[in-house]
Amino acid sequence: MFALVNRLQTKPGERDAVVENLLESGKAFDGNDACLLYLVTESVDEPDTIWVVDLWTSEEAHTDALQDPRLRPFIEATMPLLQAPPEQIELRHRGGIVSLASLD
Amino acid sequence: MFALVNRLQTKPGERDAVVENLLESGKAFDGNDACLLYLVTESVDEPDTIWVVDLWTSEEAHTDALQDPRLRPFIEATMPLLQAPPEQIELRHRGGIVSLASLD
């Protein structure tokens, strides 16, 4: 199991646009059984900060998913809206509980 | 929906002990429908860093859950193993996808 926490810092006022891009581009993972979680959130305290939490069955599955050509236009549209390259923190899943039935 | 990313920095060599405490104490949330996600992970690159991702139906539900007296011994056992107080980042959920059936 491969997890990532990604911190994105947008240019001032561009957070909503980046969130929309992240949600739209995330639809590429919809039919992908290797993508267990793709959670797009925004900081309560920092107006231009986005946090994305991903959970994948393996690092390889994540790498493969990023090859999807449908992602390219979203990446190209998003990069100019960011203050800096995304900060990507690689994590190993140790455990926990999940009862996300009510999330949809 | 209320989300939290928590970063814990343990004293050297104490990460496994803290992960165990987090997983054990998380069992207090097992029957709690307000806890949608409680994910315990460890940094791949930093040997003493733990990241916990929580998702709750509301901030109030989270506050209530932390009142559970079963948590106290775990908190008391964990605090001396940390380098610093946990860093807690409050987030608003914006969307994403979830297919965690294979997590259990």
Side-chain angles (χ1 to χ4, degrees):
Chain A
M1 195 107 56
F2 180 66
L4 284 171
V5 168
N6 308 277
R7 184 174 178 276
L8 286 79
Q9 199 70 35
T10 73
K11 292 182 180 163
E14 301 290 4
R15 184 166 72 178
D16 276 349
V18 173
V19 164
E20 284 311 311
N21 282 350
L22 290 167
L23 293 176
E24 276 301 311
S25 65
K27 291 178 183 170
F29 308 145
D30 257 351
N32 188 337
D33 289 343
C35 179
L36 304 177
L37 183 74
Y38 175 75
L39 205 64
V40 179
T41 72
E42 60 187 20
S43 169
V44 169
D45 297 319
E46 299 179 341
D48 302 312
T49 304
I50 297 167
W51 291 78
V52 181
V53 181
D54 291 51
L55 190 62
W56 296 81
T57 51
S58 71
E59 186 167 357
E60 295 67 35
H62 176 249
T63 305
D64 288 350
L66 294 187
Q67 306 305 314
D68 189 321
R70 288 174 295 173
L71 295 180
R72 189 153 326 177
F74 293 106
I75 295 169
E76 284 171 7
T78 298
M79 283 305 179
L81 305 179
L82 300 181
Q83 198 70 258
E87 181 189 357
Q88 180 174 291
I89 300 154
E90 296 192 14
L91 303 169
R92 269 185 299 268
H93 179 251
R94 293 292 305 264
I97 60 166
V98 176
S99 53
L100 283 161
S102 48
L103 188 60
D104 288 334
Chain B
M1 195 107 54
F2 180 67
L4 283 173
V5 168
N6 307 277
R7 183 175 179 276
L8 286 78
Q9 199 71 35
T10 73
K11 292 183 180 160
E14 300 290 5
R15 184 164 75 178
D16 276 349
V18 173
V19 164
E20 285 311 311
N21 282 350
L22 290 167
L23 294 176
E24 276 302 309
S25 65
K27 291 177 182 170
F29 308 145
D30 257 350
N32 188 338
D33 289 342
C35 179
L36 304 177
L37 183 73
Y38 175 75
L39 205 64
V40 179
T41 72
E42 60 187 18
S43 170
V44 169
D45 297 319
E46 298 179 342
D48 302 313
T49 304
I50 296 167
W51 291 78
V52 181
V53 180
D54 290 52
L55 190 63
W56 296 81
T57 51
S58 71
E59 185 166 359
E60 295 67 35
H62 176 249
T63 306
D64 288 350
L66 294 187
Q67 306 305 314
D68 188 321
R70 288 174 296 172
L71 296 181
R72 189 151 328 176
F74 292 106
I75 295 169
E76 284 171 8
T78 298
M79 283 305 178
L81 305 180
L82 300 181
Q83 197 70 256
E87 181 188 359
Q88 180 173 290
I89 301 153
E90 296 192 14
L91 304 168
R92 269 186 299 269
H93 179 248
R94 292 292 304 265
I97 60 168
V98 177
S99 53
L100 283 162
S102 48
L103 188 61
D104 288 334

